[in-house]
Amino acid sequence: MAGTKTFTMLKPDAVSKGYIGDILKQITGSGFKIVALKMTQMTENDAKSFYEVHKERPFYGELVEYMTSGPIVAAVLEKENAVDDFRTLIGATNPEEAAEGTIRKKFAASISENAIHGSDSDENASIESYFHFSGREQF
Ligand code: UDP
Ligand code: MG
């Protein structure tokens, strides 16, 4: 059975452009309940470790630099079928390929500065949620 939680980050470009309110409104308006929320900034070690699966990819260095360039908003979200439904809501990694109305289509600048993260599996949703939040911070 699909899990009911996913993890997201509003990335530095979305935060610096003032999109926090609009993006959270689209998320909650699509049926996701916010069960953890904070503004924070990742250190270089944080970003390297969070994106470790991509460490051999050519964009890894640039990704770490981007994700540490300013504050992010991290959140844990609850909904039936959370992981898949949230990936649908945010759209393709490359905003040029993202469906009309998706968060990346509306708010992302490029494939690298693409406004928002969404977990890709129930297992990673849990790992990523506990990377950013203690148990007491998840409701
Ligand atoms: N990314 C990038 N260049 C690429 C692919 C990905 O800069 O060619 C960045 C982008 O910010 C993306 C993140 O690396 O969101 C993680 O990549 P992934 O393939 O996991 O995409 P996602 O799951 O975020 O859609
Ligand atoms: Mg991914």
Side-chain angles (χ1 to χ4, degrees), residues 8-44:
T8 188
M9 294 182 286
L10 312 195
K11 296 183 177 182
D13 61 307
V15 171
S16 68
K17 288 174 183 161
Y19 295 153
I20 296 173
D22 287 340
I23 293 175
L24 290 180
K25 187 173 180 194
Q26 183 162 353
I27 290 170
T28 54
S30 302
F32 292 87
K33 182 180 167 193
I34 295 170
V35 294
L37 184 70
K38 72 173 148 199
M39 185 182 265
T40 183
Q41 185 160 355
M42 295 173 98
T43 65
E44 187 181 334

Side-chain angles (χ1 to χ4, degrees), residues 13-134:
D13 61 307
V15 171
S16 68
K17 288 174 183 161
Y19 295 153
I20 296 173
D22 287 340
I23 293 175
L24 290 180
K25 187 173 180 194
Q26 183 162 353
I27 290 170
T28 54
S30 302
F32 292 87
K33 182 180 167 193
I34 295 170
V35 294
L37 184 70
K38 72 173 148 199
M39 185 182 265
T40 183
Q41 185 160 355
M42 295 173 98
T43 65
E44 187 181 334
N45 277 344
D46 289 336
K48 280 184 171 164
S49 143
F50 189 91
Y51 283 110
E52 187 154 23
V53 296
H54 293 308
K55 70 171 182 288
E56 305 302 334
R57 309 279 290 277
F59 57 80
Y60 182 65
E62 199 183 313
L63 175 59
V64 168
E65 199 173 315
Y66 159 56
M67 288 303 297
T68 57
S69 66
I72 60 159
V73 171
V76 182
L77 305 171
E78 190 173 81
K79 184 185 178 296
E80 265 178 46
N81 201 36
V83 166
D84 286 352
D85 284 3
F86 194 70
R87 296 285 301 194
T88 301
L89 179 66
I90 70 178
T93 307
N94 184 350
E96 287 177 17
E97 291 162 14
E100 215 52 55
T102 58
I103 290 173
R104 281 172 168 165
K105 184 71 175 188
K106 287 160 72 174
F107 299 105
S110 67
I111 188 169
S112 48
E113 306 209 348
N114 61 359
I116 191 161
H117 169 83
S119 305
D120 63 5
S121 67
D122 290 339
E123 187 190 2
N124 284 335
S126 176
I127 292 168
E128 292 170 359
S129 296
Y130 282 91
F131 185 94
H132 281 279
F133 297 99
S134 71

